[in-house]
Amino acid sequence: MKIGFIGAGKAGVTLGKYFCLHGVEVTGYYSRNIQSAREAAEFTAANIYRCASDLLADSDVLFLTVPDDAIAGCYRELCRSAGSIQGKIFCHASGAMTAEAAFPGIEAAGAYGYSVHPLFAISDRFHSYSQLADVFFTLEGSAGRRDFMLEWLRKAGLQVQPIEAGCKAKYHAAAAIVSNQVVALFEEGRRMLMECGFQPEAAQKALAPLFLGNASQVADKGAVRALTGPVQRGDTGTLAKHLAILEGSEDRLLYLLLSRRLLQLARVKDAEYDDTSIGAFLDEEYRKGIEAAAAELLPAGRKDEAK
């Protein structure tokens, strides 16, 4: 199996380096930025291509590691320039896009299309490849050679989970919640420490051990076993103090929504957990929060409807 890459950014270079170190022949790279293609080719001991259709002709598998909104257009252009794509396997590395959306009509053309997405934020073009052995990948796409692709990727040392096209959006949302949205929560905590007198750098440094330690516990033990804090303790007094200092209905609702999720985990963690008091407290505060948000956001004529 020979594998080529259109696009020589972080994803293309990382995957190419990993594959070439695990016995897969990387034919080369095509990129509109010839310097990027040259660097990628040198890093993976592969070739530079000045014509994408030539790269396709020399490859059994072609990864389109270009921005999401360019994948389908790149595929259509390849189909026009190559003439026939019979027997070829096309892959992309987008988390949210299905193979069908990326490669419309591919099976009718006698080829196969797949989404091969790492559940990992690739941060460095020339170093992230060393971490891929610990990363889960998802595989979605054409039924025709899906079992072959699954076996091939696993033989290259990757952990791969097949998923259906209808699950792509939910899968990507799960990744965004754990990755991107946690960043927003960290920044909210940092902002609150700064309001307590911390300098920005000190706030960042102060929260880092707490943030990293908790992430490590969750990753090692799971969310239920790692759970601590006032919800797990049934401490309604502390929750009330937190809510009292939060400004704006959105902040309070966010806190309450997350606390209600934590309450579900607390019930799982301890079969004898008495959630009567804290459950009633959170339900009532959430109801009041919804009413406050409606009062702030809805037009005057619709506020009564919201009630």
Side-chain angles (χ1 to χ4, degrees):
M1 293 290 288
K2 298 178 180 178
I3 182 171
F5 291 87
I6 294 182
K10 288 186 290 188
V13 173
T14 297
L15 291 171
K17 185 66 172 180
Y18 180 88
F19 283 129
C20 77
L21 290 175
H22 289 78
V24 178
E25 182 179 351
V26 177
T27 47
Y29 287 83
Y30 168 82
S31 173
R32 290 181 178 179
N33 184 329
I34 191 64
Q35 181 60 29
S36 294
R38 180 176 292 108
E39 291 171 353
E42 290 176 355
F43 189 59
T44 58
N47 298 307
I48 306 168
Y49 283 78
R50 295 182 180 274
C51 180
S53 58
D54 289 343
L55 175 58
L56 174 62
D58 289 348
S59 305
D60 302 302
V61 179
L62 191 65
F63 267 83
L64 274 56
T65 48
V66 296
D68 287 14
D69 58 3
I71 295 172
C74 180
Y75 166 71
R76 286 192 292 267
E77 179 57 34
L78 274 169
C79 290
R80 285 192 293 268
S81 61
S84 173
I85 59 170
Q86 181 80 27
K88 299 292 185 179
I89 296 174
F90 288 78
C91 299
H92 69 76
S94 167
M97 182 179 288
T98 64
E100 183 179 8
F103 312 121
I106 192 167
E107 292 178 35
Y112 309 90
Y114 299 95
S115 163
V116 181
H117 180 255
L119 198 54
F120 176 65
I122 298 176
S123 59
D124 187 284
R125 193 167 171 234
F126 296 112
H127 295 93
S128 291
Y129 70 89
S130 63
Q131 299 171 279
L132 291 189
D134 297 324
V135 172
F136 259 87
F137 282 68
T138 53
L139 174 70
E140 174 272 322
S142 303
R145 302 201 71 185
R146 185 163 49 204
D147 289 345
F148 165 80
M149 286 293 294
L150 184 61
E151 181 181 3
W152 177 64
L153 291 166
R154 285 175 173 170
K155 281 184 175 179
L158 297 176
Q159 302 177 78
V160 187
Q161 172 66 47
I163 63 171
E164 297 301 320
C167 293
K168 284 284 285 185
K170 181 175 287 187
Y171 155 76
H172 195 252
I177 288 169
V178 171
S179 179
N180 309 136
Q181 294 193 355
V182 169
V183 173
L185 292 175
F186 183 93
E187 181 58 22
E188 181 67 8
R190 192 178 77 101
R191 180 189 65 79
M192 293 172 74
L193 283 192
M194 289 165 59
E195 291 175 353
C196 295
F198 282 70
Q199 292 299 311
E201 296 79 8
Q204 177 103 5
K205 187 175 181 180
L207 288 174
L210 179 64
F211 180 78
L212 295 173
N214 193 55
S216 178
Q217 289 292 309
V218 172
D220 291 343
K221 299 179 180 180
V224 171
R225 291 179 61 194
L227 179 63
T228 62
V231 172
Q232 191 263 332
R233 296 192 302 270
D235 186 354
T236 54
T238 296
L239 294 178
K241 291 177 182 178
H242 291 174
L243 288 168
I245 59 88
L246 291 173
E247 298 177 2
S249 60
E250 287 188 357
D251 288 346
R252 287 191 291 275
L253 277 176
L254 176 62
Y255 184 92
L256 287 163
L257 283 167
L258 292 172
S259 295
R260 282 156 65 98
R261 295 295 191 204
L262 293 177
L263 183 59
Q264 294 175 9
L265 295 178
R267 290 166 175 157
V268 175
K269 184 173 184 176
D270 183 358
E272 298 182 357
Y273 180 79
D274 184 1
D275 64 358
T276 306
S277 176
I278 194 167
F281 172 80
L282 289 174
D283 287 345
E284 176 61 16
E285 290 298 321
Y286 182 68
R287 183 190 63 77
K288 291 191 292 186
I290 291 291
E291 290 180 356
E296 290 179 11
L297 301 175
L298 289 179
R302 297 191 60 193
K303 290 178 182 177
D304 291 336
E305 295 178 29
K307 295 181 182 179

